[in-house]
Amino acid sequence: MDISSVRNSHVLVTPTPEPVSPAQQKEQRELVQAVHAINAAGMFGEDNELTFYFDRTSHKAVARIINKETGKVVRQIPTESVLRIAQEFRKG
């Protein structure tokens, strides 16, 4: 089963140039399940949900808490500035 692009579960796993190994697929499935459990438990309040995605430029996993009503980012780890710094290090 290819899960290279999972949107339904509030986890976005972007495709990588190389094939995803069975171990990576298992890890991605576990991440999806964990996000579902966290959001079902309401750990970030009724109005917020946890989301993940992998930043293509910096190649870093990014966690966001999103307000479900407005779609605005409440908190992001790592921050955009850290992602830009990581991108610069990859270039240099």
Side-chain angles (χ1 to χ4, degrees):
M1 172 170 79
D2 179 20
I3 59 169
S4 60
S5 181
V6 180
R7 290 182 185 269
N8 185 3
S9 61
H10 307 289
V11 178
L12 178 61
V13 181
T14 56
T16 56
E18 59 277 348
V20 178
S21 72
Q24 289 170 318
Q25 288 179 354
K26 181 178 185 263
E27 198 173 287
Q28 290 172 357
R29 281 192 300 275
E30 289 171 353
L31 177 60
V32 169
Q33 291 171 348
V35 170
H36 276 296
I38 289 168
N39 286 333
M43 295 181 77
F44 296 104
E46 291 181 21
D47 297 334
N48 299 321
E49 65 185 3
L50 177 66
T51 63
F52 278 88
Y53 78 94
F54 289 90
D55 184 71
R56 289 181 186 204
T57 346
S58 66
H59 302 282
K60 301 287 181 199
V62 179
R64 285 183 173 167
I65 300 171
I66 305 287
N67 182 289
K68 292 189 279 190
E69 292 180 22
T70 65
K72 291 186 178 183
V73 176
V74 175
R75 178 140 190 212
Q76 176 177 308
I77 302 170
T79 63
E80 288 297 325
S81 59
V82 171
L83 291 175
R84 284 192 300 273
I85 291 169
Q87 180 182 2
E88 290 302 315
F89 279 122
R90 287 184 66 81
K91 286 181 185 177

